[in-house]
Amino acid sequence: MDESDAPVKTPSEILAEKVVGVLAERELVLADDIQQMSLDLAIGKLRAEDWRVAIEKAIDKGASGE
Amino acid sequence: MSNVPLKYLKIEHLRGSITPFTLTFEKGKKLSVIYGENGTGKSTICDAFDFLGTGNVGSLKDKGLGGRLSRYWHSMGKSPSDIYVKLETSGGSCCTATLYKAAVVVDPPDDRPKVEVLRRNQILGLVEATPAERYKAIRKFIDVSGVEASEAALRQLIREIEGNIEVAVARVQENRETIEHFWEQAGKPGQTALEWAATEIEKDQSALDNTRTAIESLKASFNRLSHYPEQYKSQLGACSSADAALETAQSRVDELNAQAAGEYLEILEILQAAQRYFARHPSPEVCPLCESRENVVGLPDEVSHRIALQDFASQLKAAKLSLNAKQQILEGQNQRLEELNKKALADAEAFALKSSNKSLPSGIELPSLPCPTDLADWDEWLVTSSQLIEKWSQISDDCVESKKFTAALKASLDTLHENSQIQHELDDLLPRLKQTLDVVVDERRKFTDSILHDIATEVGRLYEEVHPGEGLNKISLELDPAKRASLEIATEFQGQEGTSPQAYFSDSHLDTLGLCVFLALAQKEKMDETILVLDDVLGSVDEPHVERLIEMLYSEALKFRQCIITTHYKPWKQKLRWGWLKNGQCQFIELDKWTSVDGISLVRSIPEIERLRALLDEVPPDPQLVCAKAGVILEAALDFLTQLYECHVPRRVNALYTLGDLLQAVDKKLKAALRVEHKQKHLDGTVSYIEKQLAPHLDELSRIAQARNVFGCHFNALSFDLLDSDAIAFGAEVLVLMDCLIDHEAGWPRNDKSGSYWATAGETRRLHPLKKPS
């Protein structure tokens, strides 16, 4: 797809990508999760339990030293 | 959406287009300036773009026409269904818009162009709007409501976790206190309550079970023994009774035997003889034995009755049987007594065995053993030990209590560990959640601040282009943190930051600011696909700034797919006509007076220099027309130069100068110094300049300037003596001078930013010197 034909990103989508990028960089969430997380974050569907699971997964991975 | 250049716009029966009107766009020119006096149809053209791009006709808004404005959209004498707008691109695609049941129908919908329209009456909208309305206008660029909703969920989670931690901490404290209490109950053994509790619950609980089982078994065994004295007594009584019954039975037998040994048999024989007699003499009159008549009546029956009563044999037999039975009963009772003894002794032995059970607590109090072998002595033995049962029960109960205590202690310790674990996990989780929230909040603020800052910077940049050096460029746009969806606009005024521009700016300044805000916002969103329509936005801009505003619009317009600016500002028309403004990308369109017959119509508008060129190209050229046009153009050029270099000219009323005044004002020193550098672009991208002197052309024009007066101004008989070629030469020389001095695409060299020369936009021409030589 030509770049100019790509759907225009909403401000929420642009911001969500920035946010999850920083979260992954600071190892607060797993890099594997950020794609879906970004989509949900942008449309307001990242619920409390989703946040918790994402953060706990990163904690668990850190604890297991992977 | 598309960014393909526009070819033409056709309007039929929309507002002022009572007859079909077609606006053709010149190839390669992204700016279309539509000039026309009031009532020529400028707004109708803007309405057509509005109609096509947004489905609206904005020029009718806020004019007190009520709610359903679409009823006024069509031209007088036409119906709404007659409205037809068509936009065709240079690529061949076209898009049409019609009105159907008050709804604008665009075909094909996907080709609907992106149009942004700013009208004169809207220009202050963003500046003077309330912060909330201003936010609405800018919202689409900073609307991160999706992220904000997710952020709210994260905040909620943090509040919940904080609550959960409080609960976990309270529970941990509660469990600690419970264990402390147990510890205190236990006499505080060991170093700490927790150490003690940990040791305590590790203890083998089966010992308690064994002890309790042993005690309960001992109790049961002892209980069994306790019943024996009673049973013994009872059995002993039964034996005595049996023995007494036996003695009675024996006495009876003995008694009967004694009777048998006396006269009983003899009497029985007499009675039996009498019975036989009475059998033969059933009605005797006298007793056959004593012959007495007394009691003779019923004597036979009496004899039979006495025989029956005195059935001695059977009595004896019965007595013997009874004796036998009693004997057996006695033997049975004696045997039971013996068995009871045996059983009691066996149970006593079993009790002795249970008393030696190693599971019994050391030092447990026991009865003296062995127990008496004679059951008769048990009563006394048991009485001395009766209080032991209670003691044993207490020990057994203690075992149960001890188990319950340990279970409760274990439960408390387990709960403590569980809650401590929960607290620990939440203590790990909470800071990360807070860090995450910080990231979300920080990034959101940076994101919106960045967008607002970009917009504000762009507004300031545009504003500075129009009002350079006025110190009003430090525009700021800020979201009010206390109020959602509220946008404040501020600037620096007289060194004071955060000033509200509406309070201190003039209307002209506010107009410019409003236009700058609109342009900055329009640039934020696919500007290369946007058709920007500015309807008469120069209204209140004052003369010193209008030129810079036009320059600013020129440069900004090129960023859009197409920019249409309508104006009734006549100087703009004149400046374009004289080529003062760069017009390389600008298509100048002039509208003629609107009539109810022709509707909107165009005026052919050609720059003056191009008109001169055209006159010279005519075959044969008209000397009078050439001289007249060339004279005016030369006056314009000399007016420009004398003002630029502040030359001395005779002062007259109305500042009217003759060609001669102006030619002489350019003195020798200045003339000799005047030179123009022409920019040359090479194929390899490099740039060089070719220098041209103005003096030869000015000298030549001074020499032949009379041709203009003779041919170009008035009827003059002298013209009969001059050659037409002189007139044509004058025109040609003026054209050469103008080609030398100005760039027909970039305008006149009037920019002194370089500090050493005057330049056109893009420095396509550099006019030297900067100042008049002294």
Side-chain angles (χ1 to χ4, degrees):
Chain A
M1 183 187 279
D2 191 315
E3 195 176 331
S4 61
D5 293 334
V8 180
K9 287 179 181 171
T10 65
S12 266
E13 287 168 341
I14 297 167
L15 173 59
E17 284 178 6
K18 287 176 185 283
V19 168
V20 297
V22 176
L23 293 179
E25 187 185 307
R26 297 191 188 174
E27 297 181 346
L28 289 166
V29 299
L30 300 181
D32 293 346
D33 292 343
I34 63 173
Q35 196 174 355
Q36 186 60 44
M37 202 174 172
S38 177
L39 295 174
D40 292 342
L41 177 62
I43 58 172
K45 295 286 183 189
L46 207 58
R47 299 164 299 172
E49 57 266 37
D50 300 326
W51 280 111
R52 182 169 187 158
V53 168
I55 304 290
E56 283 180 341
K57 278 171 77 177
I59 292 174
D60 291 346
K61 189 168 183 180
S64 67
E66 287 175 36
Chain B
M1 297 289 181
S2 159
N3 57 4
V4 180
L6 308 185
K7 190 173 181 184
Y8 68 84
L9 175 76
K10 187 173 184 182
I11 314 169
E12 291 182 21
H13 313 308
L14 175 73
R15 304 276 294 131
S17 59
I18 56 172
T19 58
F21 170 76
T22 300
L23 178 67
T24 305
F25 298 95
E26 284 182 26
K27 191 177 178 183
K29 299 201 171 180
K30 297 181 90 174
L31 173 63
S32 304
V33 175
I34 302 175
Y35 168 79
E37 294 178 1
N38 290 333
T40 50
K42 300 188 296 295
S43 290
T44 295
I45 295 172
C46 297
D47 285 341
F49 279 108
D50 212 357
F51 183 76
L52 186 63
T54 70
N56 217 332
V57 173
S59 67
L60 294 176
K61 272 188 179 174
D62 304 324
K63 290 192 173 174
L65 293 173
R68 203 165 62 83
L69 296 176
S70 59
R71 58 190 161 154
Y72 302 109
W73 289 0
H74 56 276
S75 304
M76 291 290 284
K78 296 293 176 183
S79 66
S81 60
D82 292 327
I83 297 176
Y84 177 79
V85 175
K86 179 182 180 183
L87 181 69
E88 185 165 324
T89 69
S90 61
S93 65
C94 67
C95 175
T96 63
T98 51
L99 194 61
Y100 178 72
K101 291 185 178 175
V104 177
V105 179
V106 176
D107 182 36
D110 289 345
D111 284 353
R112 182 174 213 162
K114 184 175 183 309
V115 174
E116 295 284 350
V117 182
L118 179 68
R119 299 176 190 274
R120 173 82 199 94
N121 59 352
Q122 299 171 318
I123 197 164
L124 287 177
L126 271 176
V127 178
E128 294 185 341
T130 63
E133 286 170 341
R134 199 179 293 128
Y135 175 82
K136 281 181 194 169
I138 212 164
R139 178 181 174 177
K140 62 182 171 184
F141 304 113
I142 56 173
D143 180 14
V144 289
S145 52
V147 173
E148 285 173 326
S150 298
E151 183 185 314
L154 178 57
R155 285 183 195 279
Q156 175 64 26
L157 175 62
I158 288 173
R159 282 196 293 275
E160 282 173 15
I161 297 291
E162 285 173 337
N164 292 345
I165 287 178
E166 279 181 25
V167 171
V169 168
R171 283 184 180 161
V172 165
Q173 182 59 28
E174 193 180 308
N175 294 330
R176 282 183 187 278
E177 285 172 3
T178 304
I179 292 166
E180 289 273 348
H181 180 65
F182 284 145
W183 188 44
E184 284 166 10
Q185 277 185 329
K188 295 191 172 182
Q191 293 293 315
T192 66
L194 289 180
E195 281 179 15
W196 163 78
T199 311
E200 202 63 19
I201 62 167
E202 290 303 320
K203 283 183 181 172
D204 186 4
Q205 297 297 302
S206 62
L208 287 173
D209 291 334
N210 292 340
T211 299
R212 183 165 178 267
T213 305
I215 288 173
E216 290 301 320
S217 180
L218 186 70
K219 275 170 65 185
S221 185
F222 189 78
N223 270 335
R224 275 199 292 277
L225 296 186
S226 67
H227 295 135
Y228 280 113
E230 195 62 35
Q231 289 176 20
Y232 175 68
K233 282 177 193 168
S234 173
Q235 190 57 44
L236 211 55
C239 287
S240 296
S241 300
D243 194 35
L246 181 61
E247 279 181 18
T248 306
Q250 186 61 53
S251 300
R252 177 64 177 160
V253 170
D254 290 348
E255 184 187 343
L256 289 174
N257 279 336
Q259 286 180 5
E263 57 189 4
Y264 174 75
L265 290 175
E266 290 172 8
I267 294 168
L268 183 62
E269 285 174 4
I270 294 169
L271 288 171
Q272 287 172 338
Q275 191 177 39
R276 286 192 297 273
Y277 173 80
F278 289 137
R280 291 192 306 273
H281 306 282
S283 303
E285 293 179 356
V286 294
C287 170
L289 187 58
C290 67
E291 293 186 340
S292 170
R293 292 185 179 271
E294 192 181 4
N295 299 326
V296 77
V297 178
L299 188 60
D301 293 337
E302 180 64 22
V303 169
S304 296
H305 179 66
R306 284 194 63 182
I307 287 171
L309 285 176
Q310 296 183 19
D311 188 3
F312 180 77
S314 61
Q315 284 181 38
L316 185 60
K317 187 179 175 183
K320 284 181 178 176
L321 283 172
S322 175
L323 178 63
N324 234 358
K326 300 302 180 192
Q327 183 66 42
Q328 283 178 1
I329 287 168
L330 179 60
E331 283 173 4
Q333 292 300 347
N334 284 336
Q335 193 175 350
R336 283 197 190 96
L337 183 61
E338 192 177 342
E339 284 170 0
L340 185 67
N341 263 319
K342 280 182 185 172
K343 194 178 172 194
L345 289 175
D347 283 346
E349 197 174 337
F351 176 73
L353 195 62
K354 292 180 191 301
S355 299
S356 62
N357 189 332
K358 289 181 180 175
S359 294
L360 289 173
S362 59
I364 188 171
E365 206 173 336
L366 294 168
S368 59
L369 291 171
C371 63
T373 53
D374 188 351
L375 271 174
D377 299 332
W378 277 31
D379 216 357
E380 188 184 344
W381 179 74
L382 284 168
V383 165
T384 57
S385 306
S386 63
Q387 79 284 0
L388 292 178
I389 288 285
E390 283 182 18
K391 292 180 179 175
W392 295 343
S393 294
Q394 186 59 49
I395 294 171
S396 178
D397 291 347
D398 287 349
C399 285
V400 173
E401 286 303 313
S402 183
K403 273 198 81 177
K404 283 183 184 173
F405 176 82
T406 307
L409 184 63
K410 187 172 187 310
S412 293
L413 208 55
D414 287 348
T415 312
L416 174 66
H417 288 147
E418 191 180 315
N419 285 324
S420 296
Q421 179 68 20
I422 290 170
Q423 185 189 342
H424 177 68
E425 286 172 5
L426 295 178
D427 283 345
D428 275 353
L429 180 62
L430 185 62
R432 286 177 161 260
L433 288 172
K434 286 184 172 175
Q435 284 176 45
T436 302
L437 180 62
D438 287 345
V439 168
V440 177
V441 171
D442 193 39
E443 289 299 319
R444 175 173 56 76
R445 285 184 180 153
K446 276 198 291 189
F447 180 75
T448 51
D449 286 352
S450 163
I451 291 172
L452 292 175
H453 179 263
D454 287 351
I455 294 171
T457 304
E458 182 62 10
V459 170
R461 183 187 71 77
L462 296 171
Y463 195 81
E464 177 69 8
E465 284 192 24
V466 183
H467 296 272
E470 293 184 22
L472 303 175
N473 58 322
K474 292 177 182 172
I475 308 293
S476 67
L477 293 169
E478 286 173 10
L479 285 172
D480 186 339
K483 297 176 235 165
R484 292 291 302 122
S486 179
L487 186 70
E488 300 292 344
I489 185 167
T491 187
E492 185 183 302
F493 187 69
Q494 297 290 317
Q496 190 172 343
E497 288 183 5
T499 305
S500 179
Q502 304 94 305
Y504 300 101
F505 279 23
S506 69
D507 284 351
S508 172
H509 284 80
L510 287 176
D511 273 358
T512 310
L513 182 59
L515 179 60
C516 293
V517 171
F518 177 82
L519 287 174
L521 293 181
Q523 287 177 20
K524 286 295 291 179
E525 200 175 32
K526 290 191 166 186
M527 56 183 164
D528 62 331
E529 294 182 5
T530 301
I531 299 172
L532 186 69
V533 181
L534 303 175
D535 186 14
D536 203 14
V537 294
L538 299 182
S540 73
V541 180
D542 53 2
E543 186 59 32
H545 296 110
V546 73
E547 202 161 302
R548 282 196 288 266
L549 178 57
I550 291 169
E551 287 287 338
M552 184 270 277
L553 290 175
Y554 264 51
S555 52
E556 296 309 310
L558 305 184
K559 298 174 182 172
F560 294 88
R561 183 183 183 190
Q562 185 74 32
C563 178
I564 293 99
I565 303 176
T566 70
T567 182
H568 65 273
Y569 179 68
K570 197 165 184 180
W572 197 346
K573 172 190 168 184
Q574 299 300 350
K575 286 172 183 177
L576 278 166
R577 188 176 153 211
W578 283 100
W580 282 18
L581 301 172
K582 59 181 179 183
N583 60 1
Q585 290 254 12
C586 176
Q587 175 191 7
F588 187 79
I589 299 156
E590 184 171 351
L591 299 182
D592 204 352
K593 188 174 174 60
W594 181 89
T595 69
S596 58
V597 177
D598 297 328
I600 305 169
S601 59
L602 296 172
V603 175
R604 182 169 168 73
S605 188
I606 302 172
E608 296 297 297
I609 295 165
E610 295 311 308
R611 282 177 186 272
L612 174 60
R613 201 184 305 278
L615 288 170
L616 286 167
D617 287 344
E618 285 179 8
V619 181
D622 181 330
Q624 194 274 325
L625 292 177
V626 168
C627 275
K629 185 61 68 184
V632 174
I633 292 172
L634 181 57
E635 282 175 355
L638 292 170
D639 184 72
F640 169 74
L641 288 172
T642 53
Q643 281 195 33
L644 209 60
Y645 293 107
E646 299 172 356
C647 300
H648 301 291
V649 290
R651 191 158 182 268
R652 293 200 181 93
V653 177
N654 297 330
L656 295 173
Y657 310 111
T658 65
L659 188 57
D661 295 335
L662 294 169
L663 277 168
Q664 286 174 15
V666 182
D667 61 27
K668 282 186 180 176
K669 280 186 179 175
L670 174 59
K671 202 186 296 179
L674 284 171
R675 58 191 173 87
V676 179
E677 292 178 307
H678 286 213
K679 189 177 185 179
Q680 305 287 314
K681 274 189 182 176
H682 303 289
L683 292 174
D684 61 358
T686 58
V687 169
S688 64
Y689 282 89
I690 297 174
E691 187 175 289
K692 298 188 177 182
Q693 299 291 331
L694 293 188
H697 308 295
L698 290 172
D699 287 342
E700 177 62 11
L701 285 168
S702 295
R703 190 182 67 78
I704 60 173
Q706 60 176 338
R708 188 257 184 159
N709 291 332
V710 173
F711 281 97
C713 294
H714 316 286
F715 171 75
N716 197 328
L718 287 172
S719 65
F720 301 166
D721 300 326
L722 288 178
L723 297 173
D724 286 352
S725 59
D726 290 343
I728 304 305
F730 173 72
E733 194 59 43
V734 169
L735 195 59
V736 171
L737 174 72
M738 297 312 289
D739 286 344
C740 189
L741 179 62
I742 68 169
D743 180 338
H744 302 294
E745 298 295 315
W748 296 49
R750 55 174 72 245
N751 188 328
D752 63 349
K753 280 184 185 170
S754 71
S756 55
Y757 49 80
W758 300 91
T760 58
E763 299 206 345
T764 56
R765 297 286 185 274
R766 292 173 176 174
L767 172 63
H768 297 269
L770 184 66
K771 298 286 182 188
K772 182 183 171 190
S774 53

